[in-house]
Amino acid sequence: MNAEMSGRAPTPRGPSRSVEFEHGMVVGKFYPPHAGHHALIRAAAARCAEVTVVVAPSRRESIPLPLRLGWLREVHADTPWVRFVGRYDDHPVDYADPAVWDAHCAVFREAVGSGSVDAVFSSEAYGAELARRFHAVPVAVDPDRRTVPVSGTAVRADPAGHWRWLSPPVREWFVRRVVVVGAESTGTTTMAAALGAHYGTSWVPEYGRELTARKLARLRERMPEATVFDVAWDRDDFRAVVREQQAAEDAAARTSGPLLVCDTDARATAVWEERYLGSASEEVRAAARRPALYLLTDHRGVPFTDDGLRDGEHLRAWMTDRFRVELAGCGVPVVELAGSHADRVARAVRPATTCSPPAGRSPTRSPHPTCTSLLGSPGRCDTSNDVRRHRVPGV
């Protein structure tokens, strides 16, 4: 069995303190983990010497089990006496059928191991029966959702509207990413900053520009008269750009609002690598992700500004065309931005807004495979009705 699914061994016991129960159990799908789940787990951790949290989703659900386990372990790293164990539970739900109960409890028992369970902590109505079957004390925690008014079903239906109940790693999964790309001095950074300000959300600056400035500064230590035209590039540079850009993007996604604006990405880096080295490497191309939306800034009508770090005025038309070709086959919606700055912002805002439905409004499912609503991470959207057809204990 995968070590990630099996929990930690041995499980450290809790700190020296007075506890009511030796071993508590929490069961759920955690689809996705939210503040209500965390409050439940912390309640168990406060009252038990050891806690086993059984994460038991159906295989039909869209968020992988290892991710859920990783998220929960990260959030609860400060309580090492709580262990998280993953098991798939594809049995149907019928609270009136003893045989179905037996099937679920067999999954939970195998996950917990041979030791006894003294208390079952739950926010669900089935908690009392689950505790009875484990010969344990039932402990109800916020069953009316008054302390933490959220559920997994509500989060899946409207992640933006329940954003405050999601932890950083879960936000990183759900956030919708809008990427601005374009040739030099066509306003990509200006557009990314404008969209970030419009939505009151984070935007991720271009690491390649930072690297250019550093390379030029190092070169001038040896050649004070050097300009950006003297800077040399190699494959390692572009691999570093991809690595650092994605790291910055992922870090921002953990603290961003439901929408994250990115000034460039790996797909754009491949075009820049081709521009400087004549071709794009397979490694850089393979690193490309699928954001919710691309915004391509047209070079026409935008004066070239020489800020000392730019060297491609003569290539702007070529690069705009290369971006068009690259983006046309990537399976992500693309909107070209032309005209005045105000016109460009207005044209960008309309499709970007569909990526992040306002709080309180149920998102609509898009026919596009990446989805333009907050239903899941780019390229990993849940387009099934498994919420209604296959509800298992612990939503």
Side-chain angles (χ1 to χ4, degrees), residues 49-372:
E50 298 180 26
V51 178
T52 299
V53 179
V54 181
V55 184
S58 159
R59 288 181 176 83
R60 300 175 63 254
E61 296 164 6
S62 60
I63 302 178
L65 173 55
L67 272 182
R68 300 186 215 189
L69 290 167
W71 295 341
L72 288 164
R73 287 169 181 156
E74 177 181 337
V75 173
H76 297 278
D78 59 340
T79 52
W81 59 96
V82 178
R83 71 180 182 121
F84 297 89
V85 183
R87 294 292 186 274
Y88 285 108
D89 183 357
D90 294 311
H91 300 295
V93 172
D94 185 347
Y95 296 122
D97 188 335
V100 172
W101 267 106
D102 290 343
H104 286 295
C105 287
V107 173
F108 306 152
R109 168 52 68 188
E110 191 275 332
V112 170
S114 58
S116 63
V117 173
D118 305 304
V120 171
F121 290 75
S122 178
S123 299
E124 304 289 343
Y126 61 73
E129 175 62 16
L130 183 60
R132 186 189 70 79
R133 287 172 169 268
F134 273 79
H135 307 290
V137 175
V139 181
V141 179
D142 195 23
D144 298 325
R145 305 291 203 280
R146 292 180 180 175
T147 303
V148 187
V150 68
S151 69
T153 302
V155 171
R156 294 193 298 276
D158 183 9
H162 299 86
W163 203 249
R164 68 189 180 112
W165 304 114
L166 303 180
S167 63
V170 179
R171 290 183 177 188
E172 182 183 349
W173 168 269
F174 277 106
V175 73
R176 309 308 295 160
R177 305 177 195 222
V178 174
V179 179
V180 187
V181 300
E184 276 187 319
S185 193
T186 59
T188 58
T189 300
T190 300
M191 180 57 59
L195 288 176
H198 178 85
Y199 290 104
T201 192
S202 303
W203 69 278
V204 184
E206 177 190 5
Y207 176 76
R209 181 175 177 82
E210 176 185 336
L211 181 59
T212 301
R214 288 213 309 265
K215 287 171 71 72
L216 180 57
R218 287 198 298 267
L219 184 59
R220 283 175 172 169
E221 292 174 359
R222 297 184 290 104
M223 301 170 49
E225 72 283 2
T227 71
V228 70
F229 291 92
D230 299 309
V231 173
W233 295 89
D234 59 29
R235 300 291 183 190
D236 286 342
D237 289 323
F238 291 97
R239 285 192 286 266
V241 167
V242 168
R243 183 175 61 253
E244 295 298 326
Q245 189 73 39
Q246 291 186 339
E249 179 183 321
D250 292 343
R254 295 168 70 90
T255 59
S256 168
L259 188 71
L260 178 65
V261 183
C262 305
D263 182 4
T264 200
D265 72 349
R267 189 167 278 110
T269 300
V271 175
W272 285 98
E273 186 179 24
E274 180 183 348
R275 175 247 192 269
Y276 280 104
L277 302 182
S279 63
S281 65
E282 285 303 315
E283 186 173 352
V284 169
R285 286 193 175 278
R289 297 170 170 177
R290 294 187 64 189
L293 175 70
Y294 276 113
L295 300 173
L296 172 58
T297 54
D298 197 330
H299 67 284
R300 292 172 295 182
V302 182
F304 184 85
T305 301
D306 185 355
D307 62 358
L309 295 177
R310 293 169 175 158
D311 62 358
E313 180 177 10
H314 60 297
L315 293 172
R316 291 205 300 169
W318 176 84
M319 288 200 72
T320 300
D321 286 340
R322 284 297 298 124
F323 279 119
R324 286 194 183 106
V325 171
E326 285 294 319
L327 298 181
C330 73
V332 175
V334 181
V335 174
E336 292 198 25
L337 307 179
S340 68
H341 175 68
D343 290 340
R344 292 178 180 224
V345 171
R347 182 165 173 75
V349 162
R350 286 192 295 271
T353 297
T354 67
C355 293
S356 179
R361 187 182 77 188
S362 296
T364 56
R365 296 189 187 275
S366 166
H368 192 274
T370 59
C371 297
T372 54

